[in-house]
């Protein structure tokens, strides 16, 4: 695997996965986390989070989708993992990196990085609940407040039976503050024998080359970089084949943005949902495209989806060559 799309709650849903994997270059997607407490989650919860389960756990472009679980109860996580697999999940992922206080308060996500023994029990319990053809991975940060237990955590995850490990190169207390410590991801990689996916702050093709060089990892997981430059994975794939592809122009990207908005409208009906999703995406696209800023300003106060659709179509018509 070369490039995985990082799970991002509230940002990467099935619509975003559909658009990004069709643009191309993404080898694997992971759902936003499903929070597991003490119950067996209802089927509709899994299907809402991962409608792709109904199409072989693949996006329309054919990219595999794994389901991510978050929790601290080994038995309950195992039961829910088996349930997700019974609905067709092609793989499971365990979240040991979420820094959100609401999640951490309930002993989920990054706080577990202070309890490597529990990490081990969770992974082992989930692994045992899955048949051998369903891969299990985990995603971790470097620690809670420092990196002192990073290697111990990675080893515990490996010993529990995870087949791969994505490492976001920051501690929980570092939040999303740059830089991500790519050298530390390399230390984790050297400490375990399972494949490690390097994650954190890959925004450009150059970042992709550097994170691989600094971490020694072959596989990279990219989150915000793929939202702000939706063709980044495609350019990476081309680069790996020795080709150079120019970054996608705003003009070429607009039909994708239009389609994203239309899919959101279909889901949200007359609610402000589609407008909110579009504004959210434009907020990250601004990093790559100056035009996204212009569009954002045009629709900033607009809540009516029909009016926004008209603005989008007008922009596309202006951008289309005559
Ligand atoms: C809005 C947002 C939501 C996220 N949700 C999740 C999540 O559900 N599960 C998870 O493991 N990581 C989650 N993350 C962390 C990302 O997967 C990733 O590790 C982080 O953004 C660093 O990678 P990047 O610099 O490529 O974005 C989230 C990050 C963001 C910004």
């Amino acid at each position: 695997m070369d490039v995985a799309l990082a799970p991002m709650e509230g940002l990467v849903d099935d619509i975003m996965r559909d658009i990004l994997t069709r643009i191309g270059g993404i080898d694997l997607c992971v759902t936003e986390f499903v929070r597991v407490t003490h119950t067996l989650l209802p089927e509709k919860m899994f299907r809402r989070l991962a409608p792709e389960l109904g199409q072989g756990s693949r996006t329309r472009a054919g990219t595999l989708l794994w389901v991510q679980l978050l929790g601290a109860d080994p038995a309950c996580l195992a039961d829910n993992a088996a349930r997700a697999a019974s609905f067709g999940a092609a793989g499971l992922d365990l979240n040991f990196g979420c820094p959100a206080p609401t999640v951490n308060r309930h002993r989920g996500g990054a706080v577990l990085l202070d309890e490597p023994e529990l990490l081990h029990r969770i992974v082992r319990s989930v692994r045992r609940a899955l048949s051998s053809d369903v891969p299990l991975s985990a995603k971790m940060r470097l620690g809670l407040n420092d990196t002192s237990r990073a290697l111990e955590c990675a080893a515990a995850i490996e010993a529990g039976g995870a087949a791969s490990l994505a490492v976001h190169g920051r501690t929980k207390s570092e939040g999303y503050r740059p830089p991500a410590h790519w050298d530390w991801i390399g230390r984790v990689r050297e400490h375990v024998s399972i494949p490690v996916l390097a994650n954190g702050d890959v925004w450009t093709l150059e970042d992709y080359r550097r994170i691989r060089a600094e971490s020694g990892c072959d596989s990279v997981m990219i989150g915000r970089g793929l939202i702000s430059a939706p063709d980044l994975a495609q350019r990476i794939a081309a680069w790996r084949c020795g080709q150079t592809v120019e970054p996608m122009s705003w003009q070429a990207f607009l039909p994708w943005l239009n389609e994203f908005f239309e899919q959101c409208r279909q889901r949200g009906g007359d609610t402000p949902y589609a407008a909110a999703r579009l504004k959210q995406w434009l907020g990250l696209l601004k990093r790559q495209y100056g035009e996204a800023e212009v569009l954002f300003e045009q629709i900033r106060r607009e809540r009516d989806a029909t009016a926004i659709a008209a603005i989008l179509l007008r922009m596309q018509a202006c951008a289309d060559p005559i």
Side-chain angles (χ1 to χ4, degrees):
M1 188 206 316
D2 298 334
V3 173
L5 173 62
M8 288 196 280
E9 195 212 2
L11 193 54
V12 177
D13 63 350
D14 59 308
I15 299 178
M16 186 64 91
R17 288 191 291 268
D18 175 52
I19 300 287
L20 293 183
T21 57
R22 279 163 60 218
I23 290 175
I26 297 171
D27 303 302
L28 177 74
C29 298
V30 181
T31 65
E32 308 161 72
F33 67 78
V34 188
R35 190 137 147 227
V36 172
T37 47
H38 301 294
T39 55
L40 210 47
L41 296 168
E43 178 171 355
K44 65 172 188 291
M45 175 103 153
F46 288 105
R47 297 208 181 271
R48 184 177 50 74
L49 197 87
E52 295 96 329
L53 292 178
Q55 48 197 48
S57 201
R58 288 179 185 272
T59 67
R60 197 179 347 172
T63 309
L64 276 174
L65 173 73
W66 291 2
V67 171
Q68 186 182 72
L69 303 182
L70 179 149
D73 180 334
C76 202
L77 281 163
D79 290 346
N80 278 285
R83 195 160 164 78
S86 78
F87 301 139
L92 269 293
D93 183 69
L94 294 168
N95 180 321
F96 301 131
C98 181
T102 41
V103 166
N104 292 170
R105 255 199 308 278
H106 295 96
R107 216 169 162 225
V111 285
L112 299 185
L113 296 170
D114 241 4
E115 300 183 68
E117 196 272 331
L118 178 57
L119 292 187
H120 176 258
R121 277 196 292 125
I122 289 173
V123 178
R124 193 183 52 189
S125 168
V126 172
R127 181 63 272 170
R128 285 183 178 164
L130 297 171
S131 62
S132 57
D133 58 335
V134 180
L136 174 64
S137 63
K139 182 162 177 284
M140 63 177 272
R141 283 185 177 239
L142 294 174
L144 213 49
N145 299 312
D146 58 53
T147 52
S148 58
R149 303 190 85 175
L151 302 182
E152 201 184 339
C153 286
I157 289 167
E158 177 178 37
S164 61
L165 174 64
V167 180
H168 177 189
R170 292 185 175 91
T171 62
K172 169 185 130 63
S173 45
E174 286 173 324
Y176 290 91
R177 245 190 348 270
H181 309 293
W182 295 342
D183 55 333
W184 251 103
I185 301 175
R187 290 179 71 171
V188 173
R189 180 190 61 79
E190 282 169 5
H191 196 69
V192 294
S193 51
I194 52 176
V196 169
L197 285 80
N199 170 238
D201 283 359
V202 173
W203 300 94
T204 63
L205 182 56
E206 182 52 28
D207 290 340
Y208 169 79
R209 290 193 201 125
R210 281 184 36 235
I211 198 174
R212 290 175 79 226
E214 285 187 31
S215 68
C217 296
D218 202 37
S219 303
V220 175
M221 177 177 267
I222 308 177
R224 294 162 301 164
L226 269 169
I227 309 295
S228 68
D231 66 331
L232 178 58
Q234 190 192 46
R235 282 186 279 128
I236 289 171
W239 177 78
R240 287 183 74 117
C241 298
Q243 296 160 3
T244 310
V245 175
E246 285 301 311
M248 188 183 274
S249 67
W250 178 250
Q251 177 180 330
F253 174 63
L254 267 176
W256 292 108
L257 193 62
N258 248 313
E259 186 178 335
F260 172 80
F261 187 62
E262 280 313 312
Q263 286 197 42
C264 291
R265 271 179 89 186
Q266 275 166 27
R267 179 154 306 168
D270 286 334
T271 67
Y273 172 76
R277 292 294 309 276
L278 180 64
K279 288 173 196 169
Q280 180 193 41
W281 197 1
L282 289 173
L284 272 153
L285 285 167
K286 283 194 275 192
R287 202 180 162 115
Q288 174 80 3
Y289 296 107
E291 296 92 334
E293 174 103 58
V294 176
L295 179 56
F296 184 85
E297 285 307 320
Q298 282 180 21
I299 65 165
R300 192 139 75 115
R301 289 196 176 74
E302 194 57 76
R303 287 164 64 92
D304 177 48
T306 313
I308 294 175
I311 294 171
L312 266 174
L313 281 175
R314 232 182 5 255
M315 189 170 232
Q316 194 177 321
C318 292
D320 279 343
I322 301 166

